[in-house]
């Protein structure tokens, strides 16, 4: 939020005093801060440093609760990181494919379809706000948007989602992709698990093939 302050205190020592003046950008996410000028006077009360411990079997057992040699632990950690990187790479490729499909799909959407999708999105927003204990009016004020802007944004997003959905259906037919009942069950199980992890209210009926 305050990059100038971060730059100012880099390399500072204890008891150093740094003064930073900054103007918040006009597109700052918090409406009340847009275009505001501030002055920060920061006194460095201490500088911490990190000393890495030696990776020994005793350290691994005490901190991680597993009996492994440093070599085994490093190999396991590398495998875990490799899997995470592979998943991130797959996600990037999937997103690129979806964007390409969306751009290549030309479809005329009925107003009723768009309205139904907007209603579904509004329901999701309502659930999220309830979870965060916010009213819709409070959220509008925080976002700095008008009701008209929110409706227009949702309509645009609804068109994109519907276009992608039709594009995916055609892509699946074109590639002769067969989705089995087991595939459906695994997909719904993953979706349900992700929803629960994100704190969403899960209705089992919504996660049936």
């Amino acid at each position: 939020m305050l990059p100038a302050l971060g730059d100012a205190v880099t390399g500072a020592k204890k008891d150093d005093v740094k003064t930073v003046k900054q103007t918040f950008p006009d597109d700052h996410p918090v409406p009340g801060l847009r275009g505001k000028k501030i002055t920060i006077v920061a006194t460095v009360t201490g500088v911490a440093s990190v000393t890495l411990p030696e990776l020994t079997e005793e350290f691994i057992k005490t901190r991680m609760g597993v009996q492994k040699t440093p070599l085994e632990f490093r190999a396991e950690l590398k495998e875990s990181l490799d899997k995470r990187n592979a998943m991130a790479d797959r996600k990037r490729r999937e997103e690129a494919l979806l964007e390409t499909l969306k751009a290549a799909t030309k479809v005329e959407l009925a107003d009723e379809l768009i309205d139904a999708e907007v209603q579904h999105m509004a329901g999701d927003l309502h659930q999220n706000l309830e979870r965060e204990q916010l009213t819709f009016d409070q959220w509008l004020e925080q976002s700095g948007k008008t009701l008209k802007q929110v409706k227009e944004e949702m309509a645009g997003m609804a068109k994109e989602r519907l276009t992608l959905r039709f594009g995916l259906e055609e892509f699946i037919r074109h590639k002769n992709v067969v989705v089995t009942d087991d595939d459906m069950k695994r997909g719904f199980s993953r979706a349900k698990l992700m929803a629960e992890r994100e704190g969403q209210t899960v209705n089992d009926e919504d996660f049936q093939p």
Side-chain angles (χ1 to χ4, degrees):
M1 293 204 37
L2 300 170
L5 180 61
D7 294 339
V9 298
T10 299
K13 298 179 176 60
K14 185 181 177 183
D15 298 326
D16 283 357
V17 179
K18 301 289 183 179
T19 301
V20 174
K21 295 183 178 181
Q22 180 170 321
T23 301
F24 285 103
D26 292 333
D27 60 349
H28 194 277
V30 180
L33 294 178
R34 292 172 184 169
K36 298 288 186 181
K37 294 181 179 180
I38 60 169
T39 300
I40 297 175
V41 179
T43 301
V44 182
T45 59
V47 180
S49 61
V50 177
T51 303
L52 293 178
E54 183 183 357
L55 188 64
T56 63
E57 285 191 41
E58 182 63 27
F59 176 83
I60 296 169
K61 183 178 179 181
T62 303
R63 294 297 181 92
M64 310 298 173
V66 293
Q67 189 71 48
K68 293 184 182 295
T69 66
L71 189 63
E72 291 171 335
F73 181 76
R74 289 180 187 277
E76 191 175 88
L77 182 60
K78 182 180 184 303
E79 183 182 1
S80 175
L81 291 173
D82 286 344
K83 285 181 179 178
R84 185 181 300 178
N85 290 336
M87 287 176 63
D89 182 60
R90 177 177 176 175
K91 185 178 180 181
R92 282 194 296 269
R93 288 186 285 113
E94 284 180 350
E95 288 174 351
L97 172 61
L98 295 179
E99 286 299 318
T100 301
L101 271 176
K102 189 167 60 178
T105 303
K106 307 301 177 186
V107 60
E108 292 184 14
L109 300 170
D111 291 340
E112 291 83 358
L113 273 178
I114 298 170
D115 290 342
E117 189 70 17
V118 168
Q119 288 298 319
H120 180 74
M121 293 165 63
D124 288 344
L125 175 61
H126 179 69
Q127 274 196 354
N128 292 336
L129 293 178
E130 277 191 338
R131 198 160 51 245
E132 295 174 15
Q133 296 182 336
L134 283 175
T135 66
F136 182 72
D137 288 338
Q138 288 171 330
W139 177 78
L140 272 182
E141 185 178 353
Q142 288 184 8
S143 65
K145 298 175 182 176
T146 65
L147 180 60
K148 182 181 178 182
Q149 287 175 319
V150 172
K151 287 182 176 179
E152 288 174 350
E153 286 181 8
M154 281 191 170
M157 291 171 62
K159 291 176 183 177
E160 288 190 3
R161 286 166 60 156
L162 288 165
T163 299
L164 179 57
R165 204 170 297 158
F166 282 115
L168 277 169
E169 288 178 3
E170 184 61 30
F171 181 74
I172 288 170
R173 281 195 293 270
H174 178 70
K175 291 292 185 179
N176 295 318
V177 176
V178 177
V179 181
T180 66
D181 289 343
D182 286 341
D183 292 332
M184 291 288 289
K185 289 176 182 177
R186 282 193 295 270
F188 277 103
S189 294
R190 284 197 299 269
K192 182 179 177 182
L193 182 62
M194 288 177 64
E196 289 173 339
R197 284 177 178 172
E198 293 173 0
Q200 296 181 19
T201 302
V202 174
N203 184 347
D204 286 339
E205 292 180 359
D206 293 336
F207 290 90
Q208 294 302 314

